[in-house]
Amino acid sequence: MKVLVIGSGGREHAIVDALTRSQQVEQIYAAPGNAGMAAVAECVAIRETEIERLVAFAKEQAIGLTVVGPEVALAAGVADAFKAEGLRIFGPTKAAARIESSKEFAKCLMAKYNVPTAGFKAFTDYEAALAYVAGRSFPAVLKYDGLAAGKGVVIAQTLEEADEALKDMLLDTKFGAGKVVVEDFLTGPEFSFMCFVSGEKVWPMQLAQDHKRAYDGDKGPNTGGMGAYSPLPFITTEDEQYALEQVLKPVARAMVKEGCPFEGVLYGGLMKTPEGVKVIEFNARFGDPETEVVLPRLKSDIVDIFCAVADGTDAELEWHDFATLGIVLASKGYPGDYAKGVEIGGLEQVESTVFHMGTKAVDGKIYTNGGRVLFVVGKGATLAEARTNALADVARIACDNLFHRTDIGHYVLDDK
Ligand code: AMP
Ligand code: GLY
């Protein structure tokens, strides 16, 4: 089978990597792909949102399966377009992807089907939102209702901060016209629970935890994720069962009832609060960088599961026992301004798996080409061993313009 992967980051590199382990894959294409994927896939110069060109390519090349990485492609209707042409695609329709693209849709669905989450209220009017927030306790959680590349959530400590955020979102429409959802503030460790979903069928993946802040000790600005690891020993089997039975499965059933059955990866961004597991957000796709630590642990042939989801058939998932821990190497200055085009050396000495997030290859040399550049995934019998291995390999990578966190996994390995 020929398989096309849509996307250009570390997540898509991890999907391509899992596909290379399949017995059924004859050729992998990536659109647009990146320098890392180019080692095992043919990169095609089509962007994630050029839907007509993607459909035309899949037809021309007789692609048997297309896998979608990024939410922008889903929200633009890539799955709808492929299905309309009878092409097999792994990823939800535009209507189903609203579970991620619209906070209000997700919150209303959870309220209607009794899925545990923070209490909320949605606003379009700035004055009304401000008055509501002023009458509540702080911190206040304010979320822009739409895709804002991870920048649409503000945890305001004071009324002044909340006012500024509400002005940005509702008066100056910084992310576009839209609503703001005001939520109750929850506390507890966060974790990511990704499931393969096909209508009412739900296949859970292994759990992972992301690290969103730029610097050690969870300090500094929010980023797209600076590291991740799997499994999560602090989430008990009971917590996991509860999340599966009270969150992921009910949401899959609810989407069927609402007339927009979900097909693809349903990502539950969950929090283990003192009152039990609650939903922070849903994503309609593989998490990044969680995918890069979860898929290396998948023992089953990933093509079987992608096809089972797309075709509504059955599959079983088996997992390796080893732990994985991944560290992002990011350009100095990220998530703010940063330089590009700095040469990266030492990659040939690395033993761990390295996923490319933002690189460029020129004349056989690799250069930085993004905010998050590389993701080094260590393996080990324990998380501690996986971290030691990842850090040892990070030290082998020579580049003047990269930084990384040294405390990935601290909640399990260092705290208390
Ligand atoms: P989101 O984009 O919805 O995942 O929110 C980004 C981050 O903001 C989350 O990973 C949490 O750390 C934090 N956050 C979001 N909602 C809440 C909430 N209701 N209570 C506490 N923290 C939250
Ligand atoms: N790691 C968070 C996300 O994929 O949205």
Side-chain angles (χ1 to χ4, degrees), residues 236-257:
T236 63
T237 311
E238 291 74 41
D239 293 332
E240 194 173 342
Q241 273 312 104
Y242 177 86
L244 185 61
E245 299 300 333
Q246 304 301 324
V247 176
L248 278 308
K249 284 185 181 176
V251 166
R253 285 195 294 269
M255 295 295 278
V256 173
K257 280 216 181 99

Side-chain angles (χ1 to χ4, degrees), residues 76-160:
V78 71
D80 308 69
F82 271 66
K83 281 170 192 271
E85 297 289 336
L87 295 163
R88 190 197 266 137
I89 188 155
F90 177 86
T93 60
K94 193 173 173 173
R98 281 179 302 166
I99 193 93
E100 169 169 7
S101 62
S102 166
K103 300 261 183 216
E104 199 188 18
F105 174 84
K107 291 302 270 186
C108 290
L109 190 92
M110 285 188 270
K112 183 169 171 185
Y113 293 90
N114 286 315
V115 174
T117 187
F120 78 104
K121 211 165 147 76
F123 294 89
T124 43
D125 182 60
Y126 159 75
E127 299 289 346
L130 187 64
Y132 178 72
V133 170
R136 288 163 47 95
S137 61
F138 283 83
V141 181
L142 311 171
K143 299 187 177 182
Y144 169 73
D145 189 24
L147 298 180
K151 303 208 169 79
V153 176
V154 173
I155 313 279
Q157 302 295 336
T158 63
L159 186 58
E160 289 68 40

Side-chain angles (χ1 to χ4, degrees), residues 11 100 192 210 212 224-225 267 281 283 285-290:
R11 164 182 55 204
E100 169 169 7
S192 307
D210 186 7
K212 294 200 174 161
Y267 166 121
E281 64 159 353
N283 291 322
R285 48 158 178 91
F286 280 110
D288 192 2
E290 292 92 330

Side-chain angles (χ1 to χ4, degrees), residues 4 6 46-60 73 76-82 85 87:
L4 169 65
I6 299 175
I46 307 177
R47 275 176 288 123
E48 289 93 334
T49 48
E50 289 183 290
I51 293 177
E52 278 173 30
R53 291 188 64 203
L54 291 167
V55 167
F57 178 81
K59 279 190 186 165
E60 263 161 43
V78 71
D80 308 69
F82 271 66
E85 297 289 336
L87 295 163

